[in-house]
Amino acid sequence: MNAPTMTSETATTIEGSGRRLPIVVPVLAVGTFLMITTEFVIAGILPEVAADLHVPLGRAGLLITVFAVGMIVGSPAMTLLTIRLPERLALLLALALFVAGHVVVALAGDFAVMLAARLLTAVATGAFWSVASVVAARRAGPQLGSRAQGVVGAGGSLGTVLGVPLGAFLAQAVGWRGTFWAIAAAAIVLAVLVARFVPHDAAAHDRGRIRDEFTGLGSGRLWLTLLACVLTSGGVVSAYSYIAPLLSERAGVAAGLVPIVLTGFGVGSFIGTLLGGRFGDSRPGLVTITTPAASAVLLVLIGLVTDQPVLVGTLVAVLGLFGLSANGVLIHTAVHAAGNAAPLGSALTVAAFNLGTAIGTTIVGGLLDTTGVAGPALIGAGIVALAVVPAILLARTRPSRPAP
C-alpha cells in the first residue's frame, strides 16, 4: 500500500488521475540507479579485479560482455517466468537475485565463478528494470506515463554520474570487493522500500496464460519502437564508449580533465532524460524524432572538430542532453503498444537497448584500427540517424490500445 489508510485500489485511482507522480516512481528510480551503477562500475575497477583474480585485462573485460548478454537474454526470459506473479513479488525476487549475485562476486576467488555471478546479476537487473517500467507507467497513469518513465530512466543516468565514481572511490578506499558489498547492502534497503511502497497487485492471477501474453507482440508500433531503441543505443553508446581516447589522444584534453568531461555527459543525460519524460507525455513524436536527429548532428561535429578540446568537451556534454533522453518515451510507447503483453514489451525494450549497444560497439571496435579514434563518433552518427526513420513512422501512426 502507498499509505496505511489507503487500499491499493484507491491509491491507484489517485495516482492515475493526479498531476503529481506517486512515491513509488522515485523508489523505482533508486532501483535503476543501482542497476546502472553495477553494470558500469566494473569498468572503473577492472584493473584491480584482473590483478586480484590473476587474469589478463582483456579476459577480465568479459565481465562487461557477459552482463550485456545477460540483459539481452535474461530480461524477456525472466519476464515470462514471472509474468503471472504479483508485480511487487516479481520486483522483490529480482532484488533477491541481485543481492545474491553481488555477494557471490564479493566472495569470488575464481574468475569463472565471478562471470557466472555477473550473468546472474544481469538477469536480475533486466527483470527488475522491465517490471519497474510497467509498474511506473501503471501507477502514474496514462497522462504522466512518459514523465514517470523519464524519472525511472533518470535514476539510471544518475548512476553514471554518481554511482560509478562513488563505486570506484570506494574500491580505492576498501578494495574492489567492498564496492559490491556496498551495492548489495543498498539493494537490501531498496527491497524494504519496494515492499513498503509498491502496491500489491491482486489481479496478477487473472492475467491469463503465458501464450496469451504474446498477442500484443503483433503490434507494428511495438516493433518500430524496438528498432528505434536498438538504433538509438547502438549509435550513442558505441560512440560514447570511445570518447575518452578521442578526448585524450586527438583533442589533447589532459587526462585529469577527461572524467570532468564525462561527468558533463552524465549530468546532461540526467537532465535530458527528465525533460524528455516531461515533454514526452504531450509531444512524444517531437521527442523521439528530435533527439536522434540532434544526436547525429552533434556526433558529426564531434568527429570533425577533434583538434579543439574546449569545443569537443562542450559538444560531449550537449550530446548527453539529447543522446538517450528519449529512452523513457520509447519504453512508455512500447508498454502502451504491447497491450496485454506490457511486461514483455517492457522487457524487450531493455533487451533492445542492450542489443543496440552490443552491435554498435562491435561495429565501431572492429573498424577502430581503420578509422582511428574519431571514427566511432562518425559511425555512431550514422547509426543513430537511422533511428529517425522508425520515429517518424511512429509519429504518423496512432496507438490502437489504451495505455496499461
Side-chain angles (χ1 to χ4, degrees):
M1 292 183 185
N2 285 342
T5 58
M6 286 184 175
T7 65
S8 61
E9 291 83 0
T10 303
T12 300
T13 300
I14 292 175
E15 290 162 4
S17 60
R19 297 304 299 172
R20 297 182 63 182
L21 292 174
I23 192 171
V24 69
V25 174
V27 167
L28 296 174
V30 173
T32 57
F33 170 83
L34 288 179
M35 304 298 146
I36 289 297
T37 296
T38 200
E39 181 174 4
F40 291 110
V41 74
I42 193 72
I45 60 177
L46 204 58
E48 291 87 345
V49 174
D52 190 19
L53 297 180
H54 307 291
V55 296
L57 190 61
R59 189 181 177 202
L62 290 174
L63 294 169
I64 300 174
T65 304
V66 77
F67 200 98
V69 172
M71 289 281 282
I72 294 169
V73 177
S75 182
M78 285 298 292
T79 297
L80 288 175
L81 289 174
T82 62
I83 206 160
R84 297 191 65 189
L85 295 179
E87 291 165 340
R88 181 170 62 186
L89 178 58
L91 289 171
L92 291 174
L93 287 175
L95 286 172
L97 287 176
F98 186 85
V99 171
H102 282 76
V103 170
V104 173
V105 167
L107 295 174
D110 179 77
F111 184 69
V113 172
M114 190 171 177
L115 273 178
R118 284 288 287 174
L119 181 63
L120 175 67
T121 303
V123 169
T125 296
F128 181 92
W129 200 306
S130 301
V131 178
S133 296
V134 175
V135 172
R138 284 179 173 161
R139 303 305 168 188
Q143 292 183 331
L144 299 179
S146 288
R147 185 182 303 182
Q149 298 291 358
V151 171
V152 172
S157 298
L158 197 59
T160 62
V161 179
L162 293 179
V164 173
L166 285 175
F169 175 79
L170 189 60
Q172 293 177 358
V174 299
W176 67 267
R177 297 179 189 272
T179 299
F180 290 95
W181 282 118
I183 296 175
I188 292 173
V189 174
L190 174 62
V192 174
L193 294 175
V194 167
R196 170 68 178 83
F197 292 109
V198 175
H200 177 71
D201 184 3
H205 62 280
D206 293 327
R207 290 179 187 165
R209 294 170 296 180
I210 289 180
R211 69 179 184 181
D212 294 332
E213 301 291 338
F214 286 91
T215 58
L217 298 187
S219 167
R221 284 181 60 81
L222 173 62
W223 293 102
L224 283 173
T225 304
L226 295 177
L227 179 58
C229 292
V230 170
L231 294 171
T232 298
S233 179
V236 175
V237 178
S238 63
Y240 177 73
S241 298
Y242 292 90
I243 284 293
L246 183 148
L247 291 170
S248 57
E249 296 178 21
R250 287 290 295 272
V253 175
L257 296 179
V258 171
I260 296 177
V261 177
L262 299 181
T263 299
F265 177 92
V267 171
S269 181
F270 175 72
I271 296 172
T273 301
L274 288 176
L275 291 176
R278 177 170 291 273
F279 288 108
D281 286 310
S282 57
R283 298 179 179 86
L286 177 65
V287 174
T288 55
I289 294 172
T290 301
T291 50
S295 299
V297 172
L298 288 165
L299 284 170
V300 169
L301 291 176
I302 290 171
L304 294 178
V305 297
T306 54
D307 58 340
Q308 302 181 48
V310 175
L311 182 55
V312 170
T314 302
L315 289 171
V316 170
V318 178
L319 176 65
L321 191 64
F322 286 95
L324 303 175
S325 59
N327 284 8
V329 183
L330 291 172
I331 294 172
H332 183 58
T333 302
V335 169
H336 187 288
N340 291 335
L344 188 55
S346 174
L348 288 173
T349 62
V350 175
F353 285 129
N354 283 275
L355 179 62
T357 297
I359 293 174
T361 52
T362 299
I363 294 173
V364 166
L367 296 175
L368 191 62
D369 289 340
T370 302
T371 64
V373 293
L378 297 175
I379 296 172
I383 297 174
V384 74
L386 294 175
V388 175
V389 177
I392 291 175
L393 293 175
L394 281 170
R396 291 174 62 88
T397 60
R398 289 184 175 275
S400 57
R401 297 180 176 90

